[in-house]
Amino acid sequence: MNETHDPELRSWVESANDPHSDFPIQNLPFGVFEPGVIGVAIGDQILNLRECARRGLLPASVREAVSAPLLNPLMGLPAGELTGLRRRLMELVRQGADREQVESALVAQGDVAMMVPVAIGDYTDFYASIHHAINVGRLFRPDNPLLPNYRWVPIAYHGRASSIVVSGTRVHRPSGQRKEPHANAPEFGPSKALDYEMEAGFFIGRGNALGEPIGVGEAGEHLFGMCIVNDWSARDIQAWEYQPLGPFLGKNFATTISPWVVTMEALEPYRAGRAGRGADDPEPLPYLDSENDRRRGALDVRLSASLWSREMRGQGTAAMELSSATIADLYWTPAQMIAHHTSNGCNLRTGDLIASGTVSGPGARERGSLIEITGRGAEPIALPTGEKRGFLEDGDEVTIRAWCTREGFARIGFGECRGALIHA
Amino acid sequence: MNETHDPELRSWVESANDPHSDFPIQNLPFGVFEPGVIGVAIGDQILNLRECARRGLLPASVREAVSAPLLNPLMGLPAGELTGLRRRLMELVRQGADREQVESALVAQGDVAMMVPVAIGDYTDFYASIHHAINVGRLFRPDNPLLPNYRWVPIAYHGRASSIVVSGTRVHRPSGQRKEPHANAPEFGPSKALDYEMEAGFFIGRGNALGEPIGVGEAGEHLFGMCIVNDWSARDIQAWEYQPLGPFLGKNFATTISPWVVTMEALEPYRAGRAGRGADDPEPLPYLDSENDRRRGALDVRLSASLWSREMRGQGTAAMELSSATIADLYWTPAQMIAHHTSNGCNLRTGDLIASGTVSGPGARERGSLIEITGRGAEPIALPTGEKRGFLEDGDEVTIRAWCTREGFARIGFGECRGALIHA
């Protein structure tokens, strides 16, 4: 075991030792708080890295990167520098360390506003959950839910970078064209079928040059870390616009991400002893086949999405879980996504965001969007207040959380990815 | 007539007075030459704006913007500042002006390398030519070439910003998955169906805030200028991957743009006395219907694409024109594209690129891609050397040019958008 994963490690920041904290000393995710300061989450605090660097507490080689207003320079550092930074940060906050010089570089998470932490050049959204593809495909093609390319091609599309917002940002219900099946013409108005999609997002660390693919065996070295993504979707707009070039206005009105980026180094121990592919699935083509991936098993991060309506909040009712699934059940791994994305020579840049697509699992409670849960609105769910939901209503708040557990290791979490809908 | 469009205006830069020059004094497009200097094309020269500003020849209010390493700050200036800058630039280079103080701020176009002139946050590609949609649709659905949404929705998808390259950059033939119709499994290898797409690109000047749509009547105020785009496409990769989320690796290996951005102000006079929609087409929905657009008529910019094979170059044979069409035949105008794009609240940022999609016209010589010209490779064309082309071969160079003419006005052009294919 890498010593930075030692479950016995404890911090002098007491809140980090709470077994329910998302941010124990084994995690140390990066984020940016207003007006553009890089910090690391520890318990309910944030360690201000710019301040630590100013005080000479961090290696001189990372000083410029940790003092930048966004994470990109840090994400592009060589792996050795990042490992060194992780170890140094642990030294600063571990129990027994000299807290005198560090304590005043802490700010309480409740006292600052977090920002989208990265300048995201391009945002790509995959479709890596075969369970999601089948659940959605069944609604449109009951006899033939999975398209013939699915088991071969890691399907993806380009999303919109400009409308990525940080957790807590309110989301306007989009207006758009939609057409009733038997209507002669479409109409324009607020979407009547607004959905969430529970996803994982992976940030690119080191990029590649145009024309130089990344082999699947080295793809992991280009990953910096993971966040939570809610890919809000207007199903009625999407259904009418998506032929033949795919989703556009049905998706690009807003995408919410969590503010904390958990590094691949922190995630390394949390792997399932299995992969998302089944015995009947074809072998991946050689450019997607990694002995390394197979041996280590899939990353196992559990996501959970919950709904909290305005009425539930008014009555003091707790939010209700709608979806829970693990990325270990994805058909394609992040390494396969990167190898595929660059197989034609496409260049990835430091800070690019690669999302998984909706994460659904095989179970009935493991469907990662309302369209799957309610059969496109046909079978609405009941909330504890007696309200019904086929799709989301104005005032609804959706929160996605994520965490990793493994016997013999600390639990680490991602914080939350939260958004409330407001009228069009 | 706005005086900056006066066809009698002449420059002391003699090459700008050549009637065949793309860059007469009435044009004045912006570009960036290495290592990051903004210039304006005039004849076969470039006026170095940073140097002009340093010498106090430009208004102080634009000094910072014209001294930046990319066009974004300039593109975000208020309309009045841009108009003032255009007038001032004309004063500097017009016949009779004091050339002493300006002449040494000129550099020959042949002496510098041009760059992608803009930091492009997001790149959107529309599908605005109904002729292209029908030509391509006929290959896949002979009885029903046009999908039911086409006449209502300005169809678009998000392209890849990272792989946009400037004219002259060589393009690697992409590898990817493709599947023969009767094969059991796909194979991975270099694309066998590489195509060009002749397009117009529009750069956003002033952006909009997330959640605040731009009305079609004001959309023109958000356009800064136009360039030429070649949206290289691997038809075999695209055909196998595009269901259900649209094109991805079939497109994102490279997109070539011309280095010069012709401002909307320079383009203003060149309008066709007609629009691309026919009498049988439905009225646009109100959010896409602009009295202003209708009254002024569609912008009329003619594009022409030519092919020059390695063998043609070796024999000293001139390039052969493959496509020629005008954007006046597009079904959707740039104003409609912007209104649609933001109708759901999606935010556009200064420097975003909005391309038209392949520009094809109604005529047989007006098909803007090889898939249309050769019926997906089934009817190859003959080159002057006797070579045949269903799709592009390694060594082929495709050049797209564009220009505007109108009785009583100077001819203005866009320079060229050129790229040669190299092996995978």
Side-chain angles (χ1 to χ4, degrees):
Chain A
M1 185 196 298
N2 177 320
E3 64 186 303
T4 70
H5 298 126
D6 181 354
E8 302 302 324
L9 279 175
R10 291 173 71 82
S11 174
W12 53 259
V13 180
E14 267 309 320
S15 57
N17 303 322
D18 177 339
H20 299 294
S21 173
D22 278 346
F23 308 122
I25 191 170
Q26 293 83 1
N27 193 350
L28 302 180
F30 293 97
V32 175
F33 60 91
E34 287 188 354
V37 180
I38 295 177
V40 160
I42 178 78
D44 60 6
Q45 302 291 305
I46 301 172
L47 185 62
N48 176 335
L49 293 200
R50 187 183 293 170
E51 186 56 28
C52 289
R54 202 185 61 77
R55 296 180 190 180
L57 299 174
L58 299 176
S61 55
V62 303
R63 179 167 179 164
E64 198 175 327
V66 302
S67 303
L70 289 168
L71 293 179
N72 300 62
L74 189 153
M75 296 165 87
L77 288 176
E81 293 285 353
L82 288 170
T83 298
L85 177 59
R86 176 172 165 85
R87 288 178 190 278
R88 180 61 186 148
L89 291 169
M90 283 193 171
E91 282 170 23
L92 293 179
V93 296
R94 70 184 297 168
Q95 220 162 41
D98 177 9
R99 60 197 282 180
E100 288 283 315
Q101 52 182 352
V102 182
E103 204 158 16
S104 59
L106 288 178
V107 290
Q109 285 172 31
D111 287 349
V112 295
M114 301 301 294
M115 299 166 56
V116 172
V118 178
I120 300 169
D122 280 289
Y123 158 43
T124 301
D125 199 13
F126 276 83
Y127 194 56
S129 166
I130 193 168
H131 305 290
H132 171 68
I134 290 172
N135 290 344
V136 172
R138 195 173 281 138
L139 296 171
F140 296 91
R141 298 174 303 275
D143 298 333
N144 180 30
L146 202 65
L147 290 166
N149 57 8
Y150 190 89
R151 288 188 160 88
W152 299 97
V153 183
I155 300 289
Y157 70 100
H158 295 122
R160 178 91 194 164
S162 72
S163 53
I164 294 174
V165 297
V166 75
S167 178
T169 308
R170 293 187 304 176
V171 171
H172 290 263
R173 176 180 298 271
S175 289
Q177 285 192 38
R178 53 183 187 236
K179 189 178 158 298
E180 300 295 334
H182 302 294
N184 288 322
E187 52 176 17
F188 182 88
S191 169
K192 295 176 179 173
L194 204 63
D195 204 352
Y196 67 95
E197 291 194 340
M198 180 175 81
E199 306 197 3
F202 297 92
F203 281 108
I204 297 299
R206 192 157 49 85
N208 65 304
L210 188 64
E212 296 180 11
I214 297 172
V216 64
E218 303 97 61
E221 300 162 25
H222 293 262
L223 284 170
F224 175 80
M226 182 186 143
C227 69
I228 309 168
V229 176
N230 183 349
D231 178 31
W232 304 92
S233 299
R235 303 299 183 187
D236 44 358
I237 298 173
Q238 187 182 350
W240 171 234
E241 76 175 357
Y242 90 105
Q243 291 284 15
L245 300 182
F248 182 56
L249 298 190
K251 299 275 194 179
N252 67 12
F253 56 95
T255 304
T256 306
I257 65 171
S258 60
W260 295 108
V261 183
V262 177
T263 63
M264 298 316 288
E265 208 166 349
L267 290 172
E268 185 49 41
Y270 307 93
R271 288 182 178 271
R274 62 194 168 86
R277 303 169 75 90
D280 294 342
D281 295 318
E283 293 288 306
L285 292 179
Y287 81 101
L288 295 173
D289 198 7
S290 162
E291 183 55 36
N292 199 21
D293 246 24
R294 289 194 198 202
R295 199 183 61 244
R296 296 195 301 176
L299 272 178
D300 187 9
V301 180
R302 183 154 285 272
L303 297 158
S304 164
S306 64
L307 176 63
W308 207 26
S309 72
R310 194 181 282 144
E311 205 169 318
M312 289 163 82
R313 293 198 295 279
Q315 296 187 8
T317 309
M320 172 178 153
E321 183 175 81
L322 298 181
S323 318
S324 169
T326 167
I327 67 168
D329 282 322
L330 294 177
Y331 189 85
W332 301 107
T333 66
Q336 288 173 318
M337 294 179 208
I338 286 178
H340 182 68
H341 203 320
T342 63
S343 63
N344 67 345
C346 182
N347 56 327
L348 303 179
R349 295 178 292 190
T350 300
D352 284 351
L353 178 62
I354 307 233
S356 60
T358 307
V359 180
S360 293
R365 305 295 300 272
E366 296 192 314
R367 292 173 290 191
S369 64
L370 276 170
I371 192 173
E372 297 168 76
I373 296 168
T374 68
R376 213 181 178 182
E379 300 165 46
I381 52 167
L383 307 187
T385 47
E387 297 173 278
K388 302 263 185 185
R389 286 293 182 275
F391 288 104
L392 299 170
E393 301 287 340
D394 291 349
D396 285 355
E397 182 176 276
V398 176
T399 299
I400 309 177
R401 291 189 173 77
W403 61 90
C404 303
T405 57
R406 183 179 159 188
E407 185 68 31
F409 287 83
R411 174 194 178 284
I412 65 173
F414 286 72
E416 60 182 32
C417 176
R418 184 168 50 80
L421 268 186
I422 56 175
H423 60 83
Chain B
M1 185 195 299
N2 176 320
E3 65 187 305
T4 71
H5 299 125
D6 181 354
E8 302 301 324
L9 278 176
R10 292 173 69 82
S11 173
W12 53 258
V13 180
E14 266 309 319
S15 57
N17 304 322
D18 176 342
H20 300 294
S21 173
D22 277 348
F23 307 121
I25 191 170
Q26 293 82 1
N27 193 349
L28 303 181
F30 293 97
V32 175
F33 60 91
E34 285 186 356
V37 179
I38 295 176
V40 161
I42 177 79
D44 59 8
Q45 303 290 307
I46 301 173
L47 185 62
N48 177 334
L49 293 201
R50 186 184 294 171
E51 186 57 28
C52 288
R54 201 185 62 77
R55 296 180 190 180
L57 300 174
L58 300 176
S61 55
V62 303
R63 179 165 180 166
E64 198 175 327
V66 302
S67 303
L70 289 168
L71 293 180
N72 300 62
L74 189 152
M75 295 164 87
L77 289 175
E81 294 285 354
L82 288 170
T83 299
L85 176 59
R86 177 172 166 84
R87 288 178 189 275
R88 179 62 186 147
L89 291 169
M90 283 193 171
E91 282 171 23
L92 293 178
V93 296
R94 70 185 297 170
Q95 221 164 40
D98 177 10
R99 60 197 282 179
E100 288 284 313
Q101 50 182 352
V102 184
E103 203 157 16
S104 58
L106 288 178
V107 289
Q109 285 172 29
D111 287 348
V112 294
M114 301 302 293
M115 299 167 57
V116 172
V118 178
I120 300 169
D122 280 290
Y123 159 43
T124 302
D125 199 13
F126 276 82
Y127 194 56
S129 165
I130 193 168
H131 306 290
H132 171 67
I134 290 173
N135 290 342
V136 171
R138 194 173 279 138
L139 296 171
F140 296 89
R141 298 173 304 275
D143 298 333
N144 180 28
L146 202 65
L147 291 166
N149 57 7
Y150 190 87
R151 289 190 160 89
W152 299 98
V153 183
I155 299 290
Y157 69 102
H158 295 123
R160 178 91 193 164
S162 72
S163 52
I164 294 174
V165 298
V166 75
S167 178
T169 308
R170 291 187 306 175
V171 172
H172 290 264
R173 176 181 297 273
S175 288
Q177 285 192 39
R178 51 180 189 236
K179 188 176 158 298
E180 300 294 335
H182 302 295
N184 289 323
E187 52 176 18
F188 182 89
S191 168
K192 295 175 178 171
L194 203 64
D195 205 351
Y196 69 93
E197 290 195 339
M198 180 174 81
E199 305 196 3
F202 297 92
F203 281 107
I204 297 298
R206 192 157 48 89
N208 64 304
L210 188 62
E212 296 181 11
I214 297 171
V216 65
E218 303 96 61
E221 300 162 25
H222 293 262
L223 284 168
F224 175 80
M226 181 184 145
C227 69
I228 308 168
V229 176
N230 183 348
D231 177 31
W232 304 92
S233 298
R235 302 298 183 188
D236 44 359
I237 297 172
Q238 186 182 350
W240 172 234
E241 76 175 355
Y242 91 105
Q243 290 284 13
L245 300 184
F248 183 56
L249 298 189
K251 298 274 194 180
N252 68 12
F253 56 93
T255 304
T256 304
I257 64 171
S258 60
W260 295 108
V261 183
V262 177
T263 63
M264 299 315 287
E265 209 168 347
L267 290 172
E268 184 48 40
Y270 306 93
R271 291 185 176 268
R274 61 196 168 88
R277 304 169 74 91
D280 295 342
D281 295 317
E283 293 288 305
L285 291 180
Y287 80 101
L288 295 172
D289 198 6
S290 162
E291 182 55 37
N292 200 19
D293 246 26
R294 290 193 195 200
R295 199 184 59 243
R296 296 195 303 176
L299 271 177
D300 186 10
V301 180
R302 182 154 286 272
L303 297 159
S304 163
S306 64
L307 175 64
W308 207 27
S309 73
R310 194 182 281 142
E311 205 169 317
M312 289 163 81
R313 293 198 294 279
Q315 296 186 10
T317 308
M320 175 177 151
E321 182 175 83
L322 298 181
S323 317
S324 169
T326 166
I327 66 169
D329 282 322
L330 295 177
Y331 189 84
W332 301 107
T333 65
Q336 287 173 320
M337 295 180 207
I338 286 178
H340 182 67
H341 203 320
T342 62
S343 64
N344 67 344
C346 181
N347 56 329
L348 303 178
R349 294 178 292 191
T350 300
D352 284 352
L353 179 62
I354 308 233
S356 59
T358 307
V359 181
S360 295
R365 304 296 299 273
E366 296 192 313
R367 293 173 289 192
S369 64
L370 276 169
I371 194 173
E372 296 168 77
I373 296 168
T374 69
R376 213 180 177 182
E379 299 164 46
I381 51 167
L383 307 187
T385 49
E387 297 173 278
K388 301 264 186 187
R389 286 293 182 276
F391 288 105
L392 298 170
E393 301 288 340
D394 291 348
D396 286 355
E397 182 176 277
V398 175
T399 300
I400 309 178
R401 292 189 173 79
W403 62 88
C404 302
T405 57
R406 182 178 159 191
E407 185 68 30
F409 288 84
R411 174 193 179 282
I412 64 172
F414 287 71
E416 61 182 31
C417 175
R418 185 169 48 82
L421 268 185
I422 56 176
H423 60 83

